[in-house]
Amino acid sequence: MYKWYLRTLETSFPLKVRPLATMTSEIASQQIVEQLKKVGWKEDRIDAVIPLIEEINQLKKEKNAIILAHSYITPDIVYGVADYRGDSYQLAKKARESDADIIIFAGVKFMAETAKILNPDKTVILPSIEAGCSLADSITAVDVLRLRKRFPGVPVVTYINTNADVKAVSDVVCTSSNALKIVEKLDSDTIIFIPDVHFARNIQRQTKKRIIGWDGRCIVHDEFSVETIKELKRQFPDIKILAHPECDPSVAALADFVGSTSQMYEYVRTTNYSRYMVATECGIWDRLRAESDKELLGSCFLCPYMKKNTIELILEVLIDPRPENIIEVPEEIRSGALRSLERMFELAG
Ligand code: SF4
């Protein structure tokens, strides 16, 4: 019998434990406790984290700060302190609408940079400076300029999972939820689509336009294999397979639904099939387990970059951020990247 498994987070909490009974905001804390239990957290771990959650929520009010958390972040952050949770596109929109003085971005560096590009007057803080991204690190602005020289006049569509300088030399940014729409709307039969090689091939499957890609990969979605999916389908013929477009096209081709993190989440939440396999990061599995009663089978993988964000670091940067945690984007890069982001909002709505 094939052994299916779930990778679970093992985080140690070298903290003083205060019993839940002594908490002040009992109801809010209780809701968080229930959600953490649903995703398998043990009581001592929950007891350790609740005082931090309370302190962070108090500090947010005092400092007019908000916390944006990507769905791949740990559930103590997602349910305990986040004001908004979602995928890159949803959070970019929230960052644009925000009237907070401080935005703490529980995500990775390119996301915090995007928030800063959209909100130059706000203080944007990334809790861990080690929260990078294999995709963002796969391409530089110089690489994009070389592609432009090689394919003159061909528009460059850049995935939001890139650094600000790459966005600045692109024509338009896209996310996993609007990439195809943007590719189709551009007035060109050939598109440079960077940096994810699998995503580019998945787009190619859906458009008549010629797509020129780049060899970047997400180390999480690159892990899913055809063999795993086929074996799941063999054992559970009624299973619905969902895949992220950063997965290999051979995996995506076997899926019943290919979409962004939020689209996959909504698909599972709003349909009533007996079981699902969701080929993406484990954070979405946690959200689905906490927020629905759907049966998930198969495996998920952790993004080591996203998991650099911890509740302890969020508290630290709220109290006293170090200069390296405060995101700055030079104005000449910011204005170029903003143009590419605004073009996305204009084309995708
Ligand atoms: S999941 Fe993949 S694309 Fe997202 S931050 Fe991690 S490495 Fe980057």
Side-chain angles (χ1 to χ4, degrees):
M1 171 89 171
Y2 198 98
K3 188 165 179 259
W4 302 110
Y5 66 96
L6 264 180
R7 291 191 182 185
T8 53
L9 277 172
E10 286 305 330
T11 311
S12 60
F13 286 85
L15 302 162
K16 267 190 182 168
V17 176
R18 188 152 62 107
L20 285 179
T22 66
M23 297 294 126
T24 47
S25 48
E26 291 272 338
I27 296 173
S29 295
Q30 203 48 48
Q31 277 177 359
I32 298 161
V33 170
E34 291 311 317
Q35 276 160 323
L36 293 178
K37 278 184 180 166
K38 270 185 147 184
V39 295
W41 279 43
K42 299 275 182 320
E43 252 175 46
D44 57 343
R45 194 171 164 199
I46 297 173
D47 284 352
V49 90
I50 288 288
L52 301 185
I53 289 173
E54 291 197 332
E55 196 172 346
I56 289 169
N57 286 331
Q58 184 56 35
L59 279 168
K60 276 195 315 186
K61 280 186 216 151
E62 290 169 20
K63 300 197 169 193
N64 190 25
I66 59 164
I67 297 178
L68 306 180
H70 194 274
S71 293
Y72 297 170
I73 298 298
T74 53
D76 51 342
I77 297 171
V78 167
Y79 296 114
V81 298
D83 295 279
Y84 301 102
R85 47 187 178 244
D87 63 16
S88 309
Y89 186 63
Q90 291 171 321
L91 296 178
K93 280 183 117 175
K94 288 294 174 197
R96 195 163 71 145
E97 293 159 9
S98 169
D99 57 4
D101 296 321
I102 299 172
I103 298 174
I104 307 234
F105 213 117
V108 294
K109 184 175 156 247
F110 74 80
M111 296 177 180
E113 270 187 354
T114 303
K116 183 67 181 178
I117 292 161
L118 296 170
N119 297 277
D121 300 332
K122 296 186 193 305
T123 303
V124 177
I125 299 174
L126 182 68
S128 169
I129 53 163
E130 293 173 4
C133 168
S134 64
L135 260 184
D137 292 343
S138 72
I139 193 162
T140 65
V142 172
D143 294 326
V144 181
L145 294 174
R146 282 197 189 119
L147 279 170
R148 281 194 176 283
K149 206 167 168 191
R150 196 169 154 212
F151 301 101
V154 175
V156 178
V157 177
T158 292
Y159 195 23
I160 200 165
N161 298 27
T162 46
N163 294 320
D165 58 340
V166 168
K167 291 184 178 84
V169 292
S170 302
D171 292 293
V172 55
V173 169
C174 73
T175 69
S176 44
S177 54
N178 62 28
L180 183 61
K181 189 173 179 183
I182 287 172
V183 163
E184 296 294 14
K185 276 197 172 179
L186 288 171
D187 187 20
S188 173
D189 291 337
T190 306
I191 305 284
I192 296 171
F193 188 94
I194 53 172
D196 189 294
V197 65
H198 297 321
F199 199 176
R201 287 179 184 153
N202 281 319
I203 291 287
Q204 185 66 86
R205 287 171 58 224
Q206 301 170 75
T207 180
K208 290 195 170 68
K209 295 188 179 189
R210 180 186 167 215
I211 302 292
I212 298 164
W214 184 256
D215 196 21
R217 285 155 206 263
C218 160
I219 55 168
V220 174
H221 294 102
D222 204 32
E223 287 285 323
F224 293 96
S225 70
V226 167
E227 292 69 35
T228 309
I229 306 289
K230 280 188 174 166
E231 181 58 24
L232 260 179
K233 283 191 157 201
R234 189 188 65 76
Q235 285 195 39
F236 307 100
D238 61 346
I239 194 166
K240 288 289 166 194
I241 307 285
L242 284 72
H244 194 281
E246 291 166 20
C247 292
D248 190 292
S250 56
V251 169
L254 291 174
D256 298 284
F257 179 82
V258 178
S260 70
T261 302
S262 298
Q263 288 168 334
M264 286 192 281
Y265 166 83
E266 278 305 315
Y267 182 101
V268 176
R269 217 180 51 79
T270 57
T271 56
N272 277 312
Y273 298 105
S274 45
R275 41 183 76 95
Y276 302 83
M277 191 273 170
V278 188
T280 190
E281 213 273 349
C282 297
I284 275 293
W285 288 55
D286 282 340
R287 282 200 63 189
L288 286 166
R289 282 190 289 160
E291 297 167 37
S292 80
D293 53 4
K294 304 296 166 63
E295 186 184 0
L296 301 178
L297 295 177
S299 57
C300 61
F301 296 95
L302 297 174
C303 172
Y305 304 108
M306 289 280 186
K307 267 51 183 186
K308 294 284 179 194
N309 289 273
T310 63
I311 199 118
E312 292 89 341
L313 284 179
I314 289 178
L315 181 57
E316 264 182 50
V317 296
L318 248 179
I319 293 170
D320 187 17
R322 284 168 300 171
E324 58 266 35
N325 293 104
I326 299 174
I327 299 293
E328 301 292 354
V329 181
E331 185 50 32
E332 67 276 16
I333 292 177
R334 193 194 75 82
S335 57
L338 180 64
R339 178 192 34 77
S340 297
L341 281 162
E342 293 293 4
R343 189 85 200 283
M344 170 181 75
F345 291 121
E346 178 194 314
L347 291 176

